[in-house]
Amino acid sequence: MASTSCSLLRLEPGSMGSIQRIEGMNPILRRRLADLGVSEGVMIRLKGKGPFLGPITLECNGQLFAIRRKEASMIEVNVS
Amino acid sequence: MSSIALVGNPNTGKTSLFNTLTSSYEYVGNWAGVTVEKKVGSLKNGAGKLIDLPGIYSLHPLSRDEGVATQYLTEESPEALINIVDASQLERNLLLTLQLLEYGKPTVLGLNMMDVAKARGISVNPEVLQSRLGITVLPLIARTGKGSGQVLSVLEKTSAIPRVTFKLDYGELAEEAIASIEKELQAIQGLPNLRWIALQLMEQNPVVLELLKKRVDTSRLMAICDSCQSELQSRKLALTLPQWIRSVRMDFIRSLCAAAMDTTLIKPHNLTERLDAVLTHRFLGLPLFIIFMYAMFKTTFDWIGGPLSDMVDGFISGPLSDGANSLLQTIGASGFTHALIVDGIIGGVGGVVVFVPQIFILFLMISFLEDSGYMARVCLLMDSTMERMGLNGKAFIPFIIGFGCNVPAIMAARSIEQPKDRMLTTLLLPLMSCSARLPVYLLFAAVFFPAQQATVVLTMYVLGVVFALILCKLFSKYLFKNESSVFIIELPPYRMPQMKTLGRSTWEKGKGFLRKAGTIILAGSVIIWLMSYAGPSGLNVDMDNSFLAKFGGMIAPLLHPLGFGTWQAGSTLVPGFLAKEVVVSTMNIIYHASDAAGLEGQISQVFTPLSSVSFMAFILLYTPCLATVGVIKKETASWKWTFFSIGYSVALAYIVALVIFQGGSLLGLS
């Protein structure tokens, strides 16, 4: 099946994709994400979206965490 | 005495283990960043000191609490390390483990949360980890204390813990660079393991770089790193040197995990998923949070706390006062002693002790929030509001802790990554109504708004938060460079807090209050009473001619526009700076009330409902207490910001009280 890449925000809540690229992100956040094991090639799942266009909840390697939508849009994922 | 350091990722149970291995007790909770300062305790078997460090993901610190841990490892030299890893999150945890093994100290791996891993269908084989890493691996459940006996017996003799022999091969290019850096460093005395220093330098760890800069010209070292990096780039192995090191480590960890872990039966976090579906729901989440807060206040003040307080009051004003009176009469105490004990000490301290039940229940609720994992979710819910105000949702953890006491709350702000966000949180925290201010509201609410006590008290708390948000917007706009804030928060699995842990952490928080009652409130009460008993014309004067009245009278004119321009109100404010509880003690002494009912009667003659609201708002906002000022100075390391925090809050309190009283008067309220 052909894979398409899109912004993480486009994922349906509950579905997952593999991270293709993370670009233009604040370096502090980028490092913190790397600490949590979020980097290229890793599977990431969108769990849900918070109130008032607030942060979105993500799951990666069994760890739940939340980041803001603006930053999440910088993560590009591959969905097969 | 040997010293052993506890190191590991945030929220993996280091402090829980610390509490079982030592005879001391430190603060625990279910979010990342509970421990923000290193804590030292003595091992129960007397084998040495145990040092609990803040949680870190790597030795490359981002926030201030992480800096504490990294600095400890570079500058001090523990005999051995205990590395705590979360068995249910092994892959991420091992990244730190590898760096610790490179550090070269004898290390024991504590494989914690075996129960959590098992519940999720993950089975970890300690033997495989032990043989591949070459260190002792001990399975643990730190929350219940299971396995801590083995840890203790291994630590019995730190010299018997084998030296670390683990060495990861970073490939020809990187290994060459490591060797040349090690050679450069050989001449310098007193450095930890050179290979470790070299690797950390290649990873651009700022703490290690600072350490080296003090001793040596680092330009040659940097040149080695640069040429290694460009070589890696030209061979298309990696974009940067840190990335290369990381990927070598990750490859090793993946192969290790594949061998040591069985995840075929893995299950999702069922409970957590179901709770999150409701508690962080995009529409229901916030209303639910508000309902929880309201229920929390209702329980604290109306349902449980209120009746208990009445019982304590009944005891102090009844049997205790009567007993003291008759005892003093029997032994023939002088009028001075009699008045000092009954009016000064029992009146002043007793007036505050009455509120112990409410304060303990509030602490119990806060402990429940901390231990359940809901705290992190609150940050998530509040982030979009906080972002609009120029701060991030993570600041909400210190805010909630601040409802208990501002001092630990300001310390908790250390786990916020960005300096600007941390500073703003520190400056605004005193606006969170702490438990010391609670007695004032309870007293006034009971007198003027008996039917809506919980609502009145909740309003004060909300008022504090609202002003914090408004000022946050102003401060971030005008006082700080416009750097945008970032937000990331780990959401730990929910868990049911254990009664034992809850009881312990409630007691540890409440203990501080009791200690204050025996020290600063007692001293304050005695001084205030003396000032009310003595005057320019001698002892036992009419209180209106006492030193206290003279002193309060100097401030009173300033307070007149706020609706409480009496010397009595004025004289409560200055001692209130020492500890806010003293405001109520002072009132008890001034109004000569032996019980709450008497005091309430007196107060209703001096204050009106409107001026009482104005007074409560003033007490809420007027200045951080002395202990808080101390910790603000320590955390900001700046007198300028410390005075600023006092200055803005006094100004804010004055303006708000003025608006409430004058505005209310214009509207015809009284």
Side-chain angles (χ1 to χ4, degrees):
Chain A
M1 209 157 87
S3 69
T4 47
S5 78
C6 65
S7 140
L8 179 60
L9 280 181
R10 293 278 183 84
L11 287 181
E12 280 294 311
S15 64
M16 61 202 287
S18 91
I19 300 175
Q20 194 181 26
R21 227 183 355 210
I22 304 179
E23 247 170 28
M25 192 178 276
N26 176 309
I28 293 185
L29 191 66
R30 183 81 180 78
R31 263 208 74 93
R32 185 58 94 215
L33 285 174
D35 285 338
L36 294 173
V38 180
S39 56
E40 284 86 353
V42 173
M43 294 302 282
I44 193 163
R45 186 193 296 273
L46 177 70
K47 301 291 285 188
K49 298 181 176 177
F52 303 123
L53 297 175
I56 57 165
T57 312
L58 299 167
E59 184 184 343
C60 193
N61 304 320
Q63 163 82 48
L64 286 168
F65 61 94
I67 57 174
R68 287 179 181 157
R69 285 173 204 225
K70 194 177 88 216
E71 275 105 13
S73 70
M74 294 165 182
I75 302 177
E76 205 172 294
V77 290
N78 253 333
V79 230
S80 52
Chain B
M1 280 283 261
S2 58
S3 53
I4 298 143
L6 269 169
V7 198
N9 280 190
N11 209 22
T12 51
K14 290 176 295 300
T15 306
S16 291
L17 184 69
F18 178 85
N19 288 341
T20 35
L21 294 183
T22 66
S23 30
S24 41
Y25 179 84
E26 295 298 343
Y27 190 29
V28 287
N30 186 16
W31 76 88
V34 183
T35 306
V36 291
E37 182 60 278
K38 69 170 193 222
K39 302 283 164 68
V40 183
S42 301
L43 281 168
K44 270 181 185 158
N45 59 3
K49 283 185 303 180
L50 190 65
I51 292 113
D52 184 23
L53 295 173
I56 45 176
Y57 290 107
S58 69
L59 293 169
H60 190 143
L62 284 180
S63 54
R64 211 172 139 188
D65 53 334
E66 295 175 325
V68 170
T70 315
Q71 206 168 5
Y72 174 84
L73 292 173
T74 45
E75 289 175 4
E76 291 178 50
S77 191
E79 266 82 73
L81 303 179
I82 308 176
N83 176 209
I84 300 298
V85 297
D86 176 349
S88 68
Q89 291 284 346
L90 204 52
E91 214 178 88
R92 149 163 85 76
N93 279 255
L94 286 174
L95 205 53
L96 177 68
T97 305
L98 294 189
Q99 297 184 56
L100 293 176
L101 291 177
E102 282 161 358
Y103 183 63
K105 294 278 175 194
T107 300
V108 177
L109 193 74
L111 193 56
N112 193 21
M113 306 205 187
M114 290 300 278
D115 53 339
V116 179
K118 200 172 153 209
R120 288 203 56 213
I122 302 170
S123 72
V124 183
N125 186 339
E127 283 86 38
V128 176
L129 287 176
Q130 182 151 335
S131 69
R132 292 279 296 267
L133 295 172
I135 51 173
T136 310
V137 177
L138 300 168
L140 281 175
I141 304 173
R143 276 182 86 203
T144 59
K146 202 171 165 219
S148 60
Q150 279 98 308
V151 180
L152 212 54
S153 62
V154 168
L155 298 182
E156 194 101 44
K157 249 190 117 189
T158 42
S159 53
I161 302 174
R163 287 205 68 79
V164 174
T165 49
F166 177 84
K167 193 172 167 190
L168 191 60
D169 186 349
Y170 287 92
E172 197 188 332
L173 285 174
E175 287 296 335
E176 264 172 38
I178 295 169
S180 354
I181 293 174
E182 280 189 64
K183 218 168 124 196
E184 293 282 330
L185 297 176
Q186 228 131 44
I188 313 170
Q189 296 290 311
L191 286 181
N193 191 308
L194 293 185
R195 184 179 166 84
W196 177 76
I197 293 263
L199 277 161
Q200 290 298 318
L201 190 69
M202 287 160 71
E203 277 192 279
Q204 295 166 359
N205 182 334
V207 181
V208 169
L209 189 63
E210 276 310 305
L211 180 83
L212 288 176
K213 267 188 183 156
K214 278 186 233 154
R215 317 269 185 93
V216 68
D217 175 22
T218 50
S219 57
R220 300 241 318 254
L221 301 173
M222 297 323 285
I224 300 173
C225 296
D226 287 345
S227 75
C228 179
Q229 176 159 310
S230 44
E231 194 61 23
L232 285 168
Q233 280 164 352
S234 69
R235 293 205 205 167
K236 298 240 181 319
L237 286 169
L239 286 175
T240 65
L241 186 50
Q243 202 186 22
W244 170 252
I245 295 176
R246 195 178 188 96
S247 72
V248 173
R249 286 184 185 145
M250 280 319 293
D251 289 344
F252 175 79
I253 290 170
R254 290 206 182 100
S255 81
L256 178 59
C257 285
M261 255 166 55
D262 181 4
T263 53
T264 43
L265 296 171
I266 196 160
K267 288 177 284 206
H269 306 270
N270 270 327
L271 174 72
T272 297
E273 302 226 335
R274 259 179 283 152
L275 281 173
D276 268 343
V278 182
L279 294 177
T280 65
H281 186 273
R282 54 194 307 192
F283 302 121
L284 292 178
L286 268 178
L288 276 174
F289 172 58
I290 294 166
I291 291 170
F292 289 149
M293 291 309 269
Y294 187 73
M296 181 169 139
F297 280 87
K298 265 309 224 202
T299 317
T300 310
F301 310 118
D302 282 1
W303 297 334
I304 301 180
L308 283 174
S309 271
D310 290 343
M311 280 164 58
V312 178
D313 184 35
F315 172 74
I316 292 177
S317 58
L320 185 70
S321 298
D322 296 346
N325 270 327
S326 53
L327 183 72
L328 289 165
Q329 246 146 30
T330 322
I331 61 171
S334 68
F336 176 82
T337 319
H338 196 131
L340 170 68
I341 291 175
V342 175
D343 300 335
I345 296 175
I346 296 182
V349 180
V352 176
V353 170
V354 168
F355 300 103
V356 163
Q358 269 121 328
I359 286 170
F360 269 75
I361 292 173
L362 181 70
F363 284 147
L364 179 69
M365 304 273 184
I366 294 177
S367 301
F368 187 89
L369 279 182
E370 288 171 349
D371 218 40
S372 60
Y374 187 53
M375 275 291 235
R377 272 73 183 186
V378 174
C379 295
L380 169 67
L381 292 172
M382 291 306 295
D383 182 66
S384 60
T385 313
M386 299 289 265
E387 187 186 9
R388 251 160 253 160
M389 297 299 163
L391 202 53
N392 80 55
K394 240 182 174 172
F396 228 75
I397 289 180
F399 280 7
I400 290 178
I401 298 174
F403 289 154
C405 176
N406 288 173
V407 174
I410 286 174
M411 300 284 288
R414 281 186 179 187
S415 63
I416 297 173
E417 284 91 355
Q418 283 184 311
K420 173 203 153 191
D421 291 5
R422 191 158 60 230
M423 179 65 98
L424 266 174
T425 311
T426 307
L427 290 176
L428 295 169
L429 252 167
L431 302 180
M432 296 303 121
S433 186
C434 65
S435 62
R437 284 166 249 190
L438 190 56
V440 181
Y441 315 145
L442 290 172
L443 186 65
F444 281 81
V447 178
F448 296 104
F449 311 96
Q452 304 105 358
Q453 287 195 45
T455 317
V456 170
V457 177
L458 184 62
T459 309
M460 286 298 140
Y461 281 75
V462 171
L463 203 64
V465 176
V466 168
F467 280 114
L469 293 178
I470 296 172
L471 287 182
C472 180
K473 183 83 193 167
L474 285 176
F475 290 175
S476 68
K477 199 163 174 191
Y478 296 107
L479 294 180
F480 294 94
K481 271 195 309 249
N482 212 357
E483 63 178 299
S484 66
S485 68
V486 296
F487 173 74
I488 174 163
I489 192 154
E490 299 91 310
L491 302 170
Y494 287 101
R495 62 182 189 210
M496 193 62 201
Q498 293 170 302
M499 278 318 286
K500 203 180 98 191
T501 321
L502 276 186
R504 188 76 200 251
S505 61
T506 305
W507 169 244
E508 291 296 325
K509 292 187 187 91
K511 204 169 72 176
F513 178 79
L514 292 179
R515 192 183 298 129
K516 266 205 282 185
T519 52
I520 195 159
I521 299 173
L522 176 65
S525 299
V526 170
I527 294 169
I528 298 288
W529 176 81
L530 274 173
M531 282 178 70
S532 73
Y533 190 75
S537 55
L539 290 178
N540 201 3
V541 294
D542 181 34
M543 203 185 283
D544 286 327
N545 296 319
S546 67
F547 285 122
L548 191 65
K550 294 263 174 293
F551 167 73
M554 290 193 298
I555 309 173
L558 282 174
L559 302 175
H560 190 71
L562 312 183
F564 43 90
T566 59
W567 70 259
Q568 287 93 336
S571 60
T572 62
L573 297 179
V574 175
F577 170 67
L578 299 176
K580 303 249 166 133
E581 294 93 336
V582 184
V583 172
V584 167
S585 316
T586 310
M587 290 191 154
N588 268 289
I589 294 166
I590 293 175
Y591 297 117
H592 271 308
S594 60
D595 62 350
L599 182 61
E600 285 164 13
Q602 293 276 0
I603 283 177
S604 64
Q605 290 168 17
V606 185
F607 285 88
T608 64
L610 182 62
S611 70
S612 79
V613 174
S614 155
F615 187 73
M616 281 191 277
F618 193 84
I619 294 292
L620 163 70
L621 304 168
Y622 84 114
T623 170
C625 71
L626 189 61
T628 308
V629 169
V631 76
I632 293 176
K633 167 69 182 61
K634 187 169 159 249
E635 292 299 297
T636 60
S638 145
W639 280 114
K640 189 187 102 190
W641 286 118
T642 310
F643 284 120
F644 176 76
S645 74
I646 302 175
Y648 92 77
S649 52
V650 173
L652 178 69
Y654 198 87
I655 295 167
V656 170
L658 187 72
V659 169
I660 291 176
F661 185 70
Q662 298 297 344
S665 304
L666 281 178
L667 291 174
L669 303 170
S670 66

